[in-house]
Amino acid sequence: MDRSDVTFSSGGIECAAWLYRPDLVGSAPLVVMAHGFSATRELRLDAFAERFCTVGLGALVFDYRHFGASAGEPRQLLDIAKQHADYAAAVDYARRLDWVDPDRVALFGSSFSGGHVLAVAARDPRIAAVVSQCPFTDALASLPKMGAANILKATVAGLRDALGSVAGLAPHYIPAVGPPGSFAVMTTFDSKPGFEAITPPETRWENRVAGRIVVHVPGYRPGQSAARIACPVLFCICDADTVAPAKRTLKYASAAPRGEIKRYPSGHFDIYLGEPFERAAADQTEFLVRHLSPAPQPATPPIG
C-alpha cells in the first residue's frame, strides 16, 4: 500500500488529497472519499481508506475547497453545490489515473457528505457503488436537533454573513460544534466529545464555518436522490443517531433501487472508532469488494 499527496482542480481551485494505491498489478477500483460538515480528511477518513486499500481498493481522500489543506478563499466557506462539484472533479481525476479502472470508481461519504454522495451518484450513472455512512439525508429531520433558540440565532448569523458577502465583507463565522446549551450548528450531547475523539493533535480542522450555509441547509434533502441512483448503495445507519435521525434515512434507503442497509446500535460519532468502526469498516469493505471486483471472464475455448 502506498499513500501520496496529490492535488486536483475543482472550479479553478486546487484541492488537496491523499491517494492510496494498493499493491496490485493491473487496473484497480478506487473509492473517492470526503468528510462531513466542516470536517477534514484527517478526522478518521484515513482509517477507512487504509482498510479499503488492504483488500485491493484504491482511495482518493480529499479536502473540499476552502477547507483543510485545500486552497480557496475565504476559508471555511461551506457551499453545497461547490462540494458536489468537488466530488465530481475528484471522480474525474481518479478516472484519468493510469492504474484505475474508470468504470469501477465508487463514492464514500459520511454525515453531511453521506448525503452529498447520494446527490452526486444520482447525476453520474457511471458511478459503480456508493457507501453512505450515518448520512445527513433531510434537513427537515436534522434541523430540530439544533433547538429553536439556535435555529433563530443561526438564521440571523446566516443572513448577516450572506448580506455581508454581497457587500464584499469578510465572512461572519459561527461555531460548527459546541456543548449543549451553547451556540453552534451541532450541540447534541455527543457532538463536541464526538469531534474531539476523532480529531488528531495535528489537524487543519477549524471549529467554524461561514454563517451563510445556514440559509441554504433547510432546503437540502439529498435523501430524495436515492431513488434515482442506478448503482448499488450501502446505507450504514446508526440507530441512536442524534444528528441525522435514522428513521428518515431508512425511508430514503428503502427507495434506492439497489440499496443495502446495515444498522448499528450506536450514535452518530461512534462509527469512527472502536467496535462500531470495526463493524462498519468490515461491512463496507465486503460491499465494495463484492461490487467493484471485475466480473469473471468466460474461458477462451481451445483452438482446434
Side-chain angles (χ1 to χ4, degrees):
M1 177 175 67
D2 174 69
R3 190 180 93 176
S4 57
D5 292 311
V6 299
T7 61
F8 62 89
S9 179
S10 181
I13 296 174
E14 292 300 299
C15 291
W18 292 323
L19 179 62
Y20 291 78
R21 182 170 182 171
D23 298 325
L24 290 177
V25 176
S27 64
L30 182 139
V31 186
V32 172
M33 309 172 63
H35 222 313
F37 193 94
S38 83
T40 48
R41 56 187 172 165
E42 67 268 19
L43 274 65
R44 292 287 292 173
L45 287 194
D46 51 344
F48 289 93
E50 289 168 6
R51 291 298 179 89
F52 301 156
C53 202
T54 59
V55 296
L57 307 174
L60 182 68
V61 188
F62 72 93
D63 283 332
Y64 304 109
R65 283 176 272 179
H66 309 284
F67 287 87
S70 293
E73 295 292 338
R75 302 306 294 167
Q76 304 299 115
L77 175 61
L78 203 167
D79 183 298
I80 293 169
K82 285 184 178 181
Q83 294 193 346
H84 288 183
D86 293 347
Y87 258 108
V91 168
D92 181 66
Y93 172 84
R95 286 173 174 158
R96 289 185 283 108
L97 293 170
D98 59 9
W99 56 269
V100 170
D101 182 342
D103 291 316
R104 290 191 288 154
V105 173
L107 302 178
F108 172 103
S110 189
S111 192
F112 207 53
S113 68
H116 288 352
V117 293
L118 301 177
V120 173
R123 300 189 189 112
D124 185 351
R126 200 178 176 190
I127 294 295
V130 175
V131 173
S132 180
Q133 175 175 278
C134 54
F136 175 102
T137 54
D138 195 324
L140 297 182
S142 292
L143 281 177
K145 301 298 182 179
M146 287 182 66
N150 269 1
I151 290 175
L152 178 59
K153 290 179 182 178
T155 301
V156 172
L159 291 172
R160 172 182 169 180
D161 183 50
L163 293 173
S165 68
V166 174
L169 301 179
H172 175 66
Y173 293 105
I174 60 176
V177 61
S182 68
F183 172 51
V185 176
M186 289 174 277
T187 58
T188 60
F189 75 91
D190 55 348
S191 290
K192 187 172 184 289
F195 263 84
E196 290 173 344
I198 64 175
T199 303
E202 298 297 326
T203 181
R204 292 178 179 267
W205 176 68
E206 297 180 37
N207 186 17
R208 59 175 189 159
V209 292
R212 69 197 75 170
I213 182 57
V214 301
V215 178
H216 302 285
V217 164
Y220 192 40
R221 307 179 73 188
Q224 294 178 331
S225 299
R228 304 193 303 275
I229 300 174
C231 68
V233 184
L234 176 64
F235 293 88
C236 295
I237 300 173
C238 298
D239 287 334
D241 201 317
T242 60
V243 177
K247 183 177 180 180
R248 190 66 58 90
T249 296
L250 286 166
K251 173 186 175 182
Y252 289 126
S254 66
R258 300 178 67 185
E260 301 178 28
I261 297 172
K262 292 289 185 178
R263 299 177 68 170
Y264 308 93
S266 54
H268 187 80
F269 299 95
D270 298 327
I271 203 166
Y272 298 99
L273 297 163
E275 179 59 24
F277 163 76
E278 295 294 338
R279 290 182 56 189
D283 290 338
Q284 293 163 11
T285 300
E286 186 280 328
F287 168 84
L288 290 168
V289 169
R290 175 160 41 95
H291 290 292
L292 298 182
S293 295
Q297 299 298 310
T300 303
I303 299 175

